[in-house]
């Protein structure tokens, strides 16, 4: 659950997008997602830098170490003037997103796998914010969000997705959260399972499954409450299954590339590094034939 302050900040930003000329809620969510992603990449790089400083070992970097490469980092462009930042995002940062995953990023393959999937669907991503004041407000708000807390990241994204209240032109619709939660509780997925949503949309079922696992597999010391009394679950008892969860547990398919981008980001923000989100019309093509490696998928 989110604190009232975070909800208020998101609502104010949402209103700014609308008054700034972006009326499509999915576009608003995408644009906020891209900026959150930019900041998360910088956070990940800072973690790698601290690790290198502590161990004295060289670590693989996400950003090139030259001046132009470092200017792609959130901390180095967030204070630009609106006009300069808008041009920088369009010409440099977004093309960088699309390049992610083309080369290996980590020896264990986890980071590379996750970013490769997102990079694939960032090929046609673009900055749709034309109003410079809206962009500056969005960056300032996102810079304050507690994105280092995985469950809060997921809650933020769920709150954004809750604003998608109408059906799309292709028959897309948002399943109410209480129905999703009831279905997941009845299925009672275990951390060694393999789960697939053949028409994943925004990955609501998959993301809520991750929340269910965190809730069911948190120790007393791994559970805490925020200042509003909302419980948060770290999922600390899931550590023996973390590699499986990050790379092999979650599978989602859709034939809308916008949905693929949103669902990939949704899973990443819910703490799943390498969810398998793929383009496919599941009504016309067989998951088992196109992805034969998966011989024990359980559909949600």
């Amino acid at each position: 659950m989110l604190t009232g302050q975070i909800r208020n900040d998101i609502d104010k930003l949402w209103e700014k997008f609308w008054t700034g000329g972006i009326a499509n809620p999915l576009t608003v969510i995408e644009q906020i997602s891209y900026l959150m992603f930019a900041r998360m990449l910088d956070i990940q790089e800072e973690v790698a830098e601290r690790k290198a400083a502590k161990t004295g070992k060289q670590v693989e970097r996400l950003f090139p170490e030259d001046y132009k490469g470092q200017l792609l980092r959130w901390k180095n462009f967030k204070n630009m003037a609106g006009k300069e930042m808008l041009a920088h995002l369009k010409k440099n940062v977004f093309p960088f997103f699309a390049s992610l995953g083309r080369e290996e990023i980590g020896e264990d393959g986890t980071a590379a796998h996750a970013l490769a999937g997102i990079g694939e669907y960032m090929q046609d991503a673009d900055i749709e914010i034309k109003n410079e004041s809206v962009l500056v407000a969005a960056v300032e708000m996102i810079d304050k969000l507690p994105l280092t807390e995985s469950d809060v990241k997921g809650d933020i994204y769920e709150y954004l997705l809750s604003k998608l209240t109408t059906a799309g032109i292709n028959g897309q619709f948002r399943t109410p959260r209480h129905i999703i939660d009831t279905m997941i509780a009845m299925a009672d997925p275990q951390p060694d399972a393999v789960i697939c949503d053949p028409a994943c949309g925004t990955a609501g079922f998959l993301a809520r499954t991750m929340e269910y696992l965190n809730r069911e597999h948190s120790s007393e010391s791994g559970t805490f409450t925020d200042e509003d009394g909302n419980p948060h679950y770290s999922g600390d008892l899931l550590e023996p299954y973390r590699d499986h969860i990050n790379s092999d547990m979650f599978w989602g398919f859709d034939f809308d590339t916008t949905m693929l981008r949103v669902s990939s980001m949704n899973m990443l923000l819910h703490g799943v590094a390498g969810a398998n989100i793929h383009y496919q019309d599941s009504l016309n093509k067989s998951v088992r034939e196109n992805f034969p490696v998966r011989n024990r998928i359980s559909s949600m």
Side-chain angles (χ1 to χ4, degrees):
M1 299 291 290
L2 296 180
T3 64
Q5 184 60 52
I6 293 177
R7 284 175 176 265
N8 289 337
D9 289 344
I10 292 174
D11 289 341
K12 289 178 183 177
L13 179 60
W14 192 275
E15 185 176 341
K16 271 188 170 291
F17 271 94
W18 278 66
T19 57
I22 301 179
N24 186 333
L26 191 55
T27 302
V28 175
I29 291 171
E30 275 196 312
Q31 296 300 298
I32 294 176
S33 299
Y34 297 152
L35 295 176
M36 289 174 66
F37 183 52
R39 187 180 164 213
M40 286 176 60
L41 289 180
D42 194 27
I43 291 172
Q44 185 173 335
E45 190 81 330
E46 289 179 343
V47 171
E49 288 172 343
R50 288 196 296 270
K51 181 178 179 181
K54 183 179 294 186
T55 63
K57 296 181 179 180
Q58 187 75 15
V59 295
E60 297 289 342
R61 293 184 175 273
L62 291 170
F63 298 92
E65 296 187 58
D66 58 16
Y67 174 77
K68 289 185 177 179
Q70 290 301 296
L71 202 56
L72 298 169
R73 297 180 64 170
W74 175 269
K75 69 177 184 180
N76 293 328
F77 71 71
K78 68 178 182 179
N79 293 319
M80 288 181 176
K83 184 176 181 179
E84 181 186 7
M85 183 168 18
L86 187 58
H88 179 58
L89 289 172
K90 189 173 186 66
K91 295 178 182 178
N92 303 311
V93 177
F94 274 65
F96 173 69
F97 288 166
S99 73
L100 291 171
R102 291 179 182 172
E103 297 180 2
E104 288 297 313
I105 299 173
E107 292 181 359
D108 62 359
T110 301
H113 176 70
L115 296 177
I118 292 176
E120 178 183 353
Y121 303 119
M122 289 287 192
Q123 299 299 313
D124 57 350
D126 197 8
I127 184 77
E128 299 288 343
I129 305 172
K130 309 304 180 186
N131 188 308
E132 296 164 13
S133 65
V134 173
L135 176 60
V136 170
V139 169
E140 289 177 350
M141 188 277 284
I142 290 168
D143 196 51
K144 298 176 183 177
L145 294 177
L147 296 185
T148 55
E149 301 174 23
S150 61
D151 55 339
V152 174
K153 286 185 298 188
D155 286 342
I156 290 168
Y157 212 72
E158 285 294 306
Y159 185 61
L160 288 170
L161 293 176
S162 72
K163 295 179 180 291
L164 289 177
T165 57
T166 58
I169 59 174
N170 294 323
Q172 300 152 343
F173 62 92
R174 181 177 178 273
T175 307
R177 175 180 283 198
H178 66 281
I179 294 178
I180 293 176
D181 289 344
T182 299
M183 293 175 67
I184 292 172
M186 291 176 67
D188 188 26
Q190 298 302 306
D192 60 348
V194 177
I195 299 169
C196 173
D197 186 341
C200 65
T202 61
F205 277 95
L206 300 180
R208 294 295 288 177
T209 297
M210 189 64 238
E211 292 186 20
Y212 175 84
L213 290 172
N214 282 333
R215 190 164 58 249
E216 294 296 311
H217 298 275
S218 291
S219 66
E220 184 175 347
S221 60
T223 304
F224 64 95
T225 56
D226 60 28
E227 59 268 30
D228 290 343
N230 300 312
H232 293 269
Y233 305 94
S234 66
D236 55 321
L237 300 180
L238 292 172
E239 288 310 311
Y241 306 94
R242 193 64 64 185
D243 289 344
H244 171 69
I245 290 171
N246 279 334
S247 62
D248 198 44
M249 182 174 191
F250 294 101
W251 292 73
F253 302 96
D254 209 292
F255 57 73
D256 185 327
T257 55
T258 298
M259 290 295 115
L260 293 171
R261 281 201 298 270
V262 172
S263 56
S264 295
M265 189 70 65
N266 194 10
M267 294 306 293
L268 184 61
L269 291 172
H270 275 81
V272 181
N276 299 276
I277 307 296
H278 299 289
Y279 180 92
Q280 172 165 286
D281 181 351
S282 298
L283 291 178
N284 292 323
K285 294 187 177 181
S286 167
V287 172
R288 296 182 186 279
E289 288 179 7
N290 285 355
F291 300 92
V293 68
R294 295 272 41 90
N295 56 14
R296 58 188 185 90
I297 285 179
S298 299
S299 292
M300 292 298 294

